[in-house]
Each structure stands twice: as C-alpha cells, then as structure tokens.
C-alpha cells in the first residue's frame, strides 16, 4: 500500500491506526507492506518512530506487547 501524504493528519489519526487494527485482527495478508511518501523530510527511522507514536495514541485496541 502506498500512502501519499504520509506525514499528514489523515495518516496520523485514521490510516495508520486503522491498518494497525486490521493487522491485530489478522485481516491483512502476511506479506502486507506500507510505503509512505511525504513532502516533509525525514529518514526511515524517524518515520517509523512517528508511526509507532501515532499508533499508541490513536489505535483503538493498542496492545503494548505487540510493539517492539
């Protein structure tokens, strides 16, 4: 899946938490991948950290044991 505007508010509040919830419900394929494209400059590690923070804040069924 490609997300254009990956640093934006829609991605932060809706798309990433929804994808997390689908994964936790085992509704995504095993080899599912997300590619984020944004105008904001950030490296891979910063993007992953932001996604992790957003999942913790906005996902409905967040389980702290699944995030490494």
């Amino acid at each position: 899946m490609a997300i254009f505007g990956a640093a934006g508010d829609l991605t932060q509040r809706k798309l990433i938490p929804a994808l997390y919830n689908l994964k936790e419900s085992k509704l995504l394929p095993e080899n599912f991948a997300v590619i984020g494209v944004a105008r904001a400059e950030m490296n891979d590690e910063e993007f992953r950290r932001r996604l992790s923070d957003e999942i913790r804040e906005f996902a409905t069924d967040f389980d702290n044991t699944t995030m490494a």
Side-chain angles (χ1 to χ4, degrees):
M1 167 181 243
I3 299 176
F4 295 91
D9 190 59
L10 175 65
T11 302
Q12 174 185 357
R13 293 180 179 272
K14 300 293 181 183
L15 295 177
I16 295 304
L19 288 171
Y20 172 83
N21 290 335
L22 287 171
K23 181 194 176 299
E24 287 300 303
S25 298
K26 300 187 184 341
L27 295 172
L28 291 178
E30 185 83 19
N31 59 353
F32 187 81
V34 176
I35 297 173
V37 179
R39 293 190 309 181
E41 279 199 38
M42 66 182 83
N43 60 31
D44 291 346
E45 186 58 38
E46 184 178 355
F47 182 65
R48 288 184 185 111
R49 183 191 50 75
R50 284 185 61 175
L51 291 182
S52 183
D53 292 346
E54 292 161 1
I55 289 168
R56 283 182 176 86
E57 184 174 353
F58 296 109
T60 55
D61 296 326
F62 177 70
D63 179 4
N64 210 10
T65 62
T66 62
M67 298 291 289

